[in-house]
Structures are given as structure tokens and as C-alpha cells.
Amino acid sequence: MKLSDRIRQGDTRAAAKLITMVENDFQQAQKYLKELQEYCGQATVIGITGPPGSGKSTITDRLAKHIRKIGKKIAIIAIDPSSPFTGGAILGDRIRMQDLSTDKDVFIRSIGTRGQLGGLSRSTQAVVKIMDAMGKEIIFIETVGVGQSEIEVIKVSDIILLLLMPGMGDDIQIIKAGIMEIGDIFVVNKSDREGTDRLIVEIEMMLSLNDVRKRNPAIIKTIGTENIGIEELWQEVERLNVYLQDKGEMQLRRKNRIRKEIHDLFLENWQELFFQFIGEDNIENEVQKILKQDIDPYSAVQKLTEVFKKQIIKGG
Amino acid sequence: MKNSIIRVLVAKPGLDGHDRGAKVVARALRDAGMEVIYTGLRQTPEQIVETAIQEDVNVIGLSILSGAHMHLFPKLMKLLKEREAIDIIVMAGGIIPGEDIVELKKIGIKEIFTPGTDTNRIIEFIKENVKVVR
């Protein structure tokens, strides 16, 4: 049986193998992704993001268990950082998800960022597609612990849950640009801790400055470890999902996502082509010249680009 | 762009709570450029096999200090066979007596590392046994 057919029938092993291929050799994997594309687009993709230790894995686990009671099939992409020095990684999000691993309708995959900044891995979008095509109805993407500007998760999610916890800093942190702008739902986790009420007031004040024509994100209090607030959180996700569908906003988000995907794929192809053509030796050459102050980096890159452009026009 | 990274599941089957060894090995493998999936304590053979398949690992590393290895390891190997996943290399570490090592190797556990093993030996073992280009 074809790999893509096995994946469509929900074969975990086949899906897991293709994810590895996506991670290791994306060009080769594209052949199979093409075959899966027409079966994608059914799943709801939920991004879960927030600072390290805010409870992303625990909330993901609790939400997943809650949804399993309704019988929906789930996949979880759990992303942790790779070492910038060795490329190695400790992928430890499953520690909080142990009971889920033997449920055959839950597929969890841990992924290292492999040099990608922004809270995701380069492969995330393709992994979503594989899980979607294998019939998973809800796909969670748990980002790495983020700081202020890792917002890549909006490129792949329908709905974003932003996790915060009390004691993270003063109110100026709340009105800064970046991560605070991407939450569709604000989840205040560890809400049994001191400072919860103040954090909520600060979020409310921040949100009150938003455009009045837009639907303001809800703020949901949770205590992940004690399973408190999980049902309310999921109800809000469902409400928001219906709202976004009705307003045509979901369609718009998906369209923007396709545009971004094309942009990224295109860039990747050209980037590879460019560096293949120029070659490491030429780059090293320019580096040496810049070190000796013979040339500046702007002119060096311009020069290399011109050579590349001429080659393209010639049709090489 | 090809970029194959060795993936290892470090798991602790059984009921003992001593995870220091597992963590030291996990860290060493990370520093050797591998992706280590660490699942925490008290894993059943079913959980370990299912996780290994979902994560598509090259190697399963089992850490056990409870003495229940002769009970748990054969069960795990049987499950791997049932799921047609015997291409995954299984290695183990912990307090395992010599006569048991012989028995465990017979059922397909590729290598067993006893206390005091240099982590470099474990890294070498993995690199030698995993076909990197899959």
C-alpha cells in the first residue's frame, strides 16, 4: 500500500515515518505531501503558546483528555528548543502527557526547533498536514516557551491560546507589542497564586484599548494541575471557533496562511539554489576580504547577487 | 537540505524513582547532537512502545534499577515485534546482573550498560548501530 494511503487510514507508523522525512529531507517528503494535500483542511488547529513554565504541556494534556471524552481524535505537536551548538535536544513535553500515549486516537509528536527561531520548527506546517490527513480532528501545537516576539505560531494555527501566569512582571510588559497581540484567548494559569487578580485587571485594561469593533479575547482562569477551568476554556474555544467561522474570519486566516506558506516555500527553494550556485568557497572569499577591509558586506552580497542574477537570465 | 538527526527515547520502565542515570544519559546524548525524547518515570512497556512508534525513534534506551527487568523487558520486546518495529534498536542501563545480561541479549536487547559506564561508550554504540541516512 502507498505511504499516503496508509496515512489516510490513520496508520501511526506511516505518519511518524513521513514526519521524520519532512524533518530530515523536506525536498523528498514533498512528493508525499502533495498526495495528502487534498485530504487536508478538516482539522481545527489550536496553537498553545506562553512563557517557559506557564503550563503549556499540562494545559494541553488536560484539554486533550477533556476533548477525548467527546470522542474527537487528537494530535499534539510538542516543540522544544534544539541546541544551537550541537543540534541536539531534550524533548520533554511528553512527561506531562503520559496517560495519553496509549490512546490510539491520540498522536503525539515531539519536535526540536532545529535552528528555527520564532517558537516553532520549520517542519511544523507540514506535520500539521500529515496529522490532518490521517483524520485527527483537533491538532494542538505547543510552542517552545516564548518570550516577547516569538509569534510564528499564528502562521499555522486557527486559534491561539496565550498562557500567562501571575508574577511575570509589571503592567508595561502587558502593553508591549508582540506576543501579547496574538492571543485569541488569554489563559491565566496557576491562578491559585498571588497576583492573579492584578494580572487579570492588567490584561483587561490592555484589551480595553483595542479596536471596539473587534471581539475582545476572553480571559479564562485555570489551574492546570488540578484540572480547574479546563471545561470553561474548551467552551470558549468552541464559541470562538463558531464566531470566527460566522464572521468569515477563519476563511481569511486560512487564506493568509496559504499565502505565507507559498512565500516560505518559494524563499526556501531560492535560498537553496542561491547557496548551491555561489558555493561555500566564494562566501569564505568574501568573508576574508571583509575582514581585511577590502570590501563591505553590502557590496559583497550585491556582487554575488549580480552573478547569480546573470546566471538565471542566461537560463542556467 | 538533508539533515538527519538521531532520535532516542530514554524511558524508565517499572516503579523505581531513580532517574538520575537516565537524565545524565539524556543530557550526554543531547550534547552529542541527538534528539532525546524523555518521558519521565514509571512507564509501562505499552507506553514505551507506543511512544517509540509515534516519535519514530532510532533507539530506545531503558533505564531500570528496580530489578524488574526480566519481567518488563521481554514484554516490551514482544510488543515491539507485534507492532513490526524491531528495526528500533533497544539498549538498557542500570543494575542488571551478568547472568540476566546474557538472557536479555538473547531476546534482542542489543546492549546493556551497567553502572560506571562512560557516556562516550553509549554515544559510540548508538552512532555505530544507527544507519544515519534512512
Side-chain angles (χ1 to χ4, degrees), chain A residues 25-205:
Chain A
D25 189 353
F26 186 56
Q27 294 296 335
Q28 196 197 342
Q30 284 183 22
K31 187 182 124 203
Y32 300 100
L33 292 172
K34 282 177 198 168
E35 293 171 5
L36 293 176
Q37 181 72 29
E38 61 175 304
Y39 307 104
C40 297
Q42 307 303 314
T44 304
V45 184
I46 300 172
I48 299 190
T49 193
S54 55
K56 294 180 292 300
S57 302
T58 306
I59 292 288
T60 306
D61 175 69
R62 298 300 189 270
L63 276 177
K65 280 180 187 142
H66 179 69
I67 300 162
R68 285 298 298 135
K69 286 188 216 148
I70 337 170
K72 282 196 194 294
K73 295 177 180 170
I74 298 175
I76 299 169
I77 306 172
I79 304 162
D80 266 332
S82 301
S83 161
F85 304 109
T86 67
I90 303 268
L91 310 174
D93 291 322
R94 289 189 89 109
I95 296 174
R96 314 257 177 265
M97 305 175 187
Q98 290 194 1
D99 316 335
L100 292 173
S101 57
T102 47
D103 183 336
K104 66 173 177 28
D105 288 323
V106 179
F107 179 28
I108 307 173
R109 181 63 176 241
S110 314
I111 283 177
T113 53
R114 299 198 181 182
Q116 191 77 5
L117 303 172
L120 298 183
S121 69
R122 215 168 49 108
S123 58
T124 309
Q125 189 152 29
V127 179
V128 167
K129 284 186 189 177
I130 295 166
M131 292 168 162
D132 191 348
M134 73 188 285
K136 301 301 180 200
E137 296 161 282
I138 310 279
I139 301 171
F140 289 105
I141 302 173
E142 189 199 325
T143 71
V144 303
V146 301
Q148 294 175 314
S149 65
E150 294 94 331
I151 57 163
E152 286 285 301
V153 66
I154 50 173
K155 285 190 191 171
V156 286
S157 312
D158 293 321
I159 290 173
I160 292 180
L161 313 186
L162 176 63
L163 263 67
L164 298 169
M165 56 182 178
M168 300 273 320
D170 65 9
D171 51 346
I172 294 298
Q173 300 300 337
I174 305 278
I175 59 169
K176 282 187 180 171
I179 192 83
M180 295 300 289
E181 295 175 274
I182 68 164
D184 293 308
I185 299 173
F186 281 73
V187 183
V188 176
N189 194 30
K190 307 193 181 186
S191 62
D192 50 343
R193 292 196 181 177
E194 200 194 316
T196 298
D197 292 340
R198 210 187 72 201
L199 175 60
I200 289 171
V201 170
E202 282 165 3
I203 299 169
E204 279 170 348
M205 277 175 65

Side-chain angles (χ1 to χ4, degrees), chain A residues 12-13 16-17 20 24-25 86 88-92 94-95 98 101 106-110 114 272, chain B residues 1-3 7 30-31 33-36 38-39 41 43 47 50-51 53-56 84 87 134:
Chain A
T12 309
R13 194 102 213 272
K17 288 274 176 210
T20 304
N24 290 350
D25 189 353
T86 67
I90 303 268
L91 310 174
R94 289 189 89 109
I95 296 174
Q98 290 194 1
S101 57
V106 179
F107 179 28
I108 307 173
R109 181 63 176 241
S110 314
R114 299 198 181 182
E272 207 170 314
Chain B
M1 235 183 313
K2 289 187 189 181
N3 180 25
R7 288 169 65 87
R30 185 204 90 175
D31 290 342
M34 301 177 197
E35 286 181 348
V36 182
Y38 188 72
T39 51
L41 299 170
Q43 297 278 294
Q47 284 175 323
E50 208 45 54
T51 299
I53 286 169
Q54 290 179 12
E55 298 287 357
D56 192 29
E84 291 169 18
D87 54 310
R134 292 195 289 172

Side-chain angles (χ1 to χ4, degrees), chain A residues 265-311:
Chain A
L265 288 171
F266 198 69
L267 217 64
E268 193 177 302
N269 279 351
W270 277 98
Q271 203 173 330
E272 207 170 314
L273 219 60
F274 178 79
F275 285 111
Q276 255 171 32
F277 174 74
I278 295 297
E280 202 38 57
D281 291 348
N282 275 319
I283 294 173
E284 178 62 28
N285 231 336
E286 297 303 321
V287 172
Q288 292 301 337
K289 282 190 217 159
I290 295 165
L291 275 173
K292 280 188 264 167
Q293 302 276 27
D294 286 346
I295 196 173
D296 63 274
Y298 315 103
S299 312
V301 170
Q302 219 161 30
K303 199 179 80 188
L304 293 176
T305 310
E306 283 304 320
V307 178
F308 184 60
K309 227 155 84 183
K310 269 187 202 140
Q311 187 68 23

Side-chain angles (χ1 to χ4, degrees), chain B residues 13-16 64-74 95 100 104:
Chain B
L15 296 175
D16 75 277
I64 192 159
L65 296 108
S66 68
H69 47 270
M70 293 310 277
H71 172 67
L72 293 166
F73 289 6
I95 300 169
D100 291 353
L104 291 173

